[in-house]
Amino acid sequence: MDGAAGPARWATMAAFFINGAAMATWAANIPSVRERLGLGEATLGFALLGIAVGSVGAFALAGRLSARYGSRPVIIAAAALTIPLVPALIAAPSLPVLVLTLLLFGFGISVMDVAMNAHGVLVERRLGRPILSSLHGLWSAGSLVGAGATTLLLRAGVTPVGLALLAAGVLAALAVAALPRLLPGTLDRGARGDGPTFVLPRGPLLALAALSFLAFVGEGAIADWSAVYIRDALKTDAGLAAGGLVAFNAAMFVARLVGDPVRARVPAPLLLRVCGGLAAVGMAAALLAPTPALAFVGFALCGLGFSNVVPVLFSAAGALPGTPAATGVAAAASAGYAGFLIGPPVIGVVAGAMSLQLALVLVVVFAALIAAAAGTVRAATPVGAAPATP
């Protein structure tokens, strides 16, 4: 282990926190924005598609930029773009402005997502032990803080725009303090000898990418629609409606804190099978709950289930024999983030045609598919992890 790896780990954790907090601050304010602009479910789903469209070119571009300049400057530049867009989203005066801002937000946050995951694998390899669960735990911590602060401040009477400005200031200060401690861009810049910076996934990598897509569809659906579901189906106010997202992220954060030692001891297929099954049961419980409190319990169980799915899949993608680590992670992260961004608009379209409750049943189905396909991760053993065969 080199001396820079330790500080770089904390800086990478900060990047994950910033990314999660920015996304959750926006997600927890969706009901307020929807009400202020008078948007129906289908129209809101169309607006959310702006994030997905903005991310399309970002996936491959993030890999190319990281290969040319290193992941460190890409993370810093993407954070500088993304943070100011949080208050801009919440203050959007019209649907066209909202969609345009979502395009830019989707681009910035997805470039940052791919780059910080690639940087996390670089730090993990320099440390010689699993850390991706704790990194994703900081993403969950950021989501928890973003959603939790939104809930508390809205209930205290702070305006959505005011709390968004406060959030942007705090995240900007954290970025300035932490991100310069990332590993130098020269360490993962222009690694042409390792192969292409982005490839279309095939074989085991395609399977891992597909499971990442399903996992992120579930996380994205909960991030963007849980507050709307609780407010409309269970008749709560805007502040309490974000409680489902808070419960989901709190449970995910706690589970990811212990995820690295668990991954080092439990075979990956078994862990993935248990996580997928728990996520399916938790989401089903949330959709059947007759009260907000019981729905919160269901979302918490779902958060426990989804907690270590993505770290297992990303680390396995980076350890596939014959595939460069950066290429594997980029493919899984790109597919996963596509699910995170494309899933919520699809949920909105289905909800407009049927009902939001029925649309969210897709999350139950996708979590069950992850559990059923857990054997896919036998093809790779993550750094420092238990052997992949049960």
Side-chain angles (χ1 to χ4, degrees):
M1 183 183 82
D2 60 60
R9 177 186 180 183
W10 292 104
T12 311
M13 292 170 75
F16 274 77
F17 181 93
I18 291 167
N19 193 280
M23 195 69 180
T25 301
W26 153 243
N29 277 283
I30 288 176
S32 298
V33 174
R34 174 197 178 196
E35 183 175 351
R36 179 170 56 80
L37 296 180
L39 306 179
E41 289 176 342
T43 305
L44 177 59
F46 167 77
L48 294 175
L49 189 61
I51 296 184
V53 173
S55 72
V56 169
F59 296 134
L61 182 61
R64 291 184 186 135
L65 290 174
S66 296
R68 182 170 182 178
Y69 301 106
S71 56
R72 177 182 183 272
V74 175
I75 293 170
I76 293 173
L81 170 65
T82 301
I83 292 171
L85 290 175
V86 175
L89 282 171
I90 296 170
S94 64
L95 178 61
V97 174
L98 177 64
V99 172
L100 177 60
T101 310
L102 284 169
L103 284 168
L104 295 173
F105 187 69
F107 179 84
I109 209 162
S110 56
V111 167
M112 185 177 179
D113 186 88
V114 173
M116 71 190 187
N117 273 287
H119 200 84
V121 171
L122 175 65
V123 175
E124 185 174 70
R125 289 187 173 276
R126 289 192 164 253
L127 289 172
R129 64 179 187 275
I131 66 164
L132 279 182
S133 287
S134 61
L135 291 180
H136 283 264
L138 264 291
W139 193 94
S140 298
S143 295
L144 173 61
V145 170
T150 296
T151 299
L152 294 175
L153 292 174
L154 284 177
R155 292 181 71 82
V158 179
T159 66
V161 175
L163 73 86
L165 288 170
L166 176 62
V170 172
L171 295 181
L174 178 59
V176 170
L179 298 188
R181 302 177 190 275
L182 294 167
L183 291 173
T186 52
L187 295 179
D188 58 351
R189 177 193 302 163
R192 296 181 178 86
D194 288 339
T197 58
F198 183 83
V199 297
L200 291 176
R202 293 179 292 180
L205 183 56
L206 176 60
L208 293 172
L211 293 181
S212 297
F213 179 86
L214 295 180
F216 272 96
V217 166
E219 292 190 30
I222 292 169
D224 282 5
W225 288 105
S226 61
V228 175
Y229 172 76
I230 291 174
R231 182 169 186 175
D232 291 355
L234 301 179
K235 310 304 180 185
T236 66
D237 59 43
L240 188 60
L245 182 58
V246 173
F248 177 82
N249 285 319
M252 182 174 283
F253 170 60
V254 171
R256 282 176 170 173
L257 284 182
V258 299
D260 290 327
V262 170
R263 284 176 52 220
R265 292 171 175 81
V266 179
L270 175 59
L271 181 58
L272 198 60
R273 191 170 295 117
V274 171
C275 286
L278 185 58
V281 170
M283 190 64 195
L287 294 176
L288 294 174
T291 66
L294 291 176
F296 296 164
V297 173
F299 281 116
L301 290 175
C302 192
L304 288 176
F306 275 121
S307 61
N308 283 292
V309 170
V310 171
V312 167
L313 294 173
F314 280 15
S315 196
L320 280 173
T323 302
T327 300
V329 172
S334 297
Y337 211 72
F340 191 86
L341 298 173
I342 293 171
V346 171
I347 294 291
V349 171
V350 176
M354 303 171 67
S355 73
L356 182 55
Q357 185 179 41
L358 289 176
L360 289 173
V361 170
L362 288 174
V363 178
V364 179
V365 175
F366 291 166
L369 287 174
I370 291 170
T376 301
V377 298
R378 288 193 182 94
T381 302
V383 175
T389 54

